[in-house]
């Protein structure tokens, strides 16, 4: 498989297990009850086979970033996450300064867990926090207590992790401005160097969507979401966490390099059930169900469900869509003449109205533009 030389290369590993399913989440994840039990060691063996097949396909890439996501990777525990990283090292070379992240659920972490994964070589931990407001956590079906996520973040830092992220969700039905502000404040107080804040999306097929349809909960309101985003942004910025992507804030040096790779058109292998990868101009996605996945790799077959070759138009659309959301902005040179003309309209209107601002040879979203990023993309692409 042909990689573009000289570009950073990443590895994403998907761990498709959770203790329970949060009502809002449509990620490719399964509870042990849904699978009739999980044998984590058998699962790791299947993953090893996929990594070996991947390494054989690629021309010995050095990994700049590894991201173990889910689902709930922390459910594997420190020892198996150590084994997993050992498998990655057996199959690929890791850059000396590689960023190695694992996601974790606050409920399945404890100090010894963080000690073990730090010793194994993980460099970054990303924890699902969502909120500190008990009623918000209840609506989201989160099982952890309000203070557990920030306590876990502190444990991770005590274990030597310099880079720790907390995920927040805003706009949950029943959330107040104060609930959000207290959550942001708690994340800042924890001392982490990265915060992601996502507007709650009511995904089709989730328990949350059914509750909204039945009228038990109201869907998040667009104006409320915009206001909450502004509240979170102001507080995070004042605390020294700067936005570097519309939904992500970091202290200098705390930016997630793996995600920056996705947003800057980088290449990565996606391993595990339902994982997506992108190498050369090929994007592919693995079969979703862990059992189907394990059966395919047991036959020494890459567990691919489908793939597409991205043409110039599709690549350009993605480029604009992802780069415009970054603080570093979209280089004007990446736009064609018609798109540059349309950008002029978005640059007009003064500090309060303009959606874009020109910074050198780049176009950057204004504060207002960040609230309307999707509309900016639609206008630019015409
Ligand atoms: C894989 S989870 C993080 C780790 C772990 N599974 C947990 O939840 O603690 C990734 C993140 O995606 C976000 N997320 C998932 N579904 C979402 C939705 N429908 N709307 C907004 N954010 C969502 C949550 O913030 C969640 O923390
Ligand atoms: S939000 Fe995290 S813990 Fe909850 S179901 Fe999704 S992946 Fe699992």
């Amino acid at each position: 498989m042909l990689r573009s030389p000289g570009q950073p290369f990443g590895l994403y590993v998907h761990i498709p297990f959770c203790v329970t399913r949060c009502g809002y989440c449509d990620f490719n994840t399964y509870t042990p009850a849904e699978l009739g039990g999980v044998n984590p060691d058998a699962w790791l063996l299947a993953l090893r086979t996929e990594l070996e097949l991947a390494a054989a396909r690629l021309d010995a890439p050095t990994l700049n970033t590894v991201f173990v996501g889910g689902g709930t990777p922390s459910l594997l525990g420190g020892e198996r996450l150590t084994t997993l990283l050992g498998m990655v090292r057996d199959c690929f070379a890791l850059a000396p300064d590689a960023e190695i992240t694992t996601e974790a659920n606050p409920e399945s972490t404890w100090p010894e867990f963080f000690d073990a994964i730090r010793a194994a070589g993980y460099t970054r931990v990303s924890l699902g926090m969502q909120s500190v407001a008990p009623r918000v956590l209840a609506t989201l079906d989160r099982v952890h207590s309000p203070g557990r996520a920030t306590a876990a973040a502190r444990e991770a830092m005590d274990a030597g992790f310099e880079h720790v992220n907390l995920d927040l969700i805003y706009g949950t039905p029943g959330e107040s401005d104060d609930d959000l502000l207290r959550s942001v404040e708690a994340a800042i107080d924890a001392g982490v160097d990265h915060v992601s804040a996502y507007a709650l999306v009511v995904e089709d097929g989730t328990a949350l969507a059914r509750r909204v349809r039945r009228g038990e909960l109201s869907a998040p309101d667009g104006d409320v979401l915009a206001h909450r985003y502004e509240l979170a942004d102001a507080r995070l910025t004042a605390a020294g966490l700067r936005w570097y992507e519309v939904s992500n804030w970091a202290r200098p040096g705390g930016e997630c390099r793996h995600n920056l790779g996705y947003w800057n058109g980088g290449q990565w292998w996606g391993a595990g059930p339902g994982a997506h990868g992108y190498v050369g101009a090929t994007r592919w996605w693995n079969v979703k169900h862990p059992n189907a996945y394990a059966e395919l790799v047991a036959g020494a077959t890459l567990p691919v469900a489908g793939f597409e070759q991205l043409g110039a138009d599709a690549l350009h659309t993605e480029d604009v869509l992802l780069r415009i959301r970054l603080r570093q902005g979209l280089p004007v040179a990446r736009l064609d003449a018609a798109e540059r003309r349309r950008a002029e309209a978005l640059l007009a209107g003064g500090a309060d109205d303009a959606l874009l601002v020109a910074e050198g040879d780049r176009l950057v979203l204004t504060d207002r533009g960040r609230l309307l990023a999707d509309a900016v993309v639609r206008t630019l692409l015409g």
Side-chain angles (χ1 to χ4, degrees):
M1 199 175 270
L2 279 183
R3 289 182 302 113
S4 309
Q7 273 191 357
F9 195 79
L11 173 69
Y12 173 77
V13 180
H14 190 74
I15 310 296
F17 312 119
C18 289
V19 175
T20 56
R21 180 180 282 277
C22 309
Y24 56 90
C25 180
D26 79 339
F27 289 19
N28 187 42
T29 187
Y30 304 80
T31 63
E34 286 168 343
L35 293 173
V38 173
N39 177 341
D41 296 312
W43 147 254
L44 275 179
L45 275 180
L47 182 66
R48 173 186 278 281
T49 307
E50 188 191 356
L51 293 176
E52 287 168 354
L53 292 168
R57 279 294 181 103
L58 298 162
D59 51 344
T62 295
L63 300 179
N64 302 91
T65 63
V66 178
F67 194 105
V68 184
T72 305
S74 47
L75 271 187
L76 289 179
E79 208 174 306
R80 289 195 185 89
L81 281 176
T82 302
T83 305
L84 188 158
L85 190 52
M87 286 165 19
V88 172
R89 287 196 170 105
D90 289 345
C91 296
F92 299 93
L94 253 69
D97 68 340
E99 175 192 89
I100 306 172
T101 304
T102 183
E103 288 187 331
N105 183 301
E107 270 303 291
S108 49
T109 59
W110 49 92
E112 293 76 15
F113 166 82
F114 291 117
D115 289 340
I117 61 170
R118 185 72 194 101
Y122 288 84
T123 65
R124 189 169 179 276
V125 175
S126 177
L127 288 151
M129 170 176 172
Q130 325 313 353
S131 177
V132 290
R135 62 179 163 191
V136 172
L137 291 172
T139 303
L140 293 176
D141 296 330
R142 296 292 289 189
V143 289
H144 50 85
S145 62
R148 179 57 207 145
T150 49
R154 289 193 176 93
E155 289 165 9
M157 288 180 286
D158 287 347
F161 280 98
E162 241 185 284
H163 302 302
V164 179
N165 168 59
L166 287 166
D167 285 335
L168 295 175
I169 287 181
Y170 59 92
T172 300
E175 179 194 65
S176 66
D177 287 354
D178 189 54
D179 289 337
L180 172 73
L181 281 171
R182 282 189 297 110
S183 303
V184 172
E185 214 54 56
I188 293 168
D189 280 354
V192 294
D193 70 341
H194 193 291
V195 172
S196 302
Y198 304 111
L200 178 67
V201 178
V202 180
E203 301 282 3
D204 285 345
T206 58
L208 176 68
R210 288 190 287 281
R211 293 180 70 190
V212 169
R213 209 172 41 244
R214 287 198 296 263
E216 290 168 29
L217 296 171
S218 48
D221 170 85
D223 289 340
V224 171
L225 290 176
H227 179 58
R228 299 261 159 83
Y229 180 90
E230 288 175 328
L231 289 177
D233 179 54
R235 197 53 211 105
L236 290 165
T237 305
L241 289 134
R242 289 185 35 169
W243 78 279
Y244 71 102
E245 194 273 347
V246 169
S247 302
N248 289 277
W249 290 258
R251 296 193 187 285
E255 298 84 1
C256 176
R257 283 163 49 204
H258 185 83
N259 286 340
L260 279 171
Y262 294 151
W263 301 324
N264 279 313
Q267 317 240 318
W268 75 94
W269 188 279
H276 289 222
Y278 174 54
V279 176
T282 306
R283 191 208 322 262
W284 77 95
W285 47 96
N286 281 350
V287 293
K288 287 181 124 179
H289 199 282
N291 296 345
Y293 168 87
E295 267 173 40
L296 281 170
V297 294
T301 306
L302 277 176
V304 173
F307 69 93
E308 60 185 341
Q309 301 288 341
L310 295 183
D313 285 352
L315 283 171
H316 178 69
T317 299
E318 277 215 346
D319 203 41
V320 171
L321 192 107
L322 295 173
R323 285 180 195 262
I324 198 68
R325 292 174 61 88
L326 295 173
R327 175 65 186 83
Q328 71 194 28
L330 171 72
V332 179
R334 290 184 173 265
L335 297 178
D336 65 27
E339 289 166 343
R340 284 181 210 187
R341 275 196 301 279
R342 290 193 287 268
E344 292 297 329
L346 299 168
L347 286 160
D352 287 342
D353 291 331
L355 298 181
L356 288 177
V357 61
E359 285 189 7
D361 61 353
R362 288 168 183 264
L363 298 172
V364 180
L365 291 170
T366 59
D367 290 352
R368 184 159 177 266
R370 275 192 279 160
L371 299 173
L372 298 166
D374 293 344
V376 169
V377 170
R378 281 195 299 275
T379 303
L380 282 177
L381 293 173

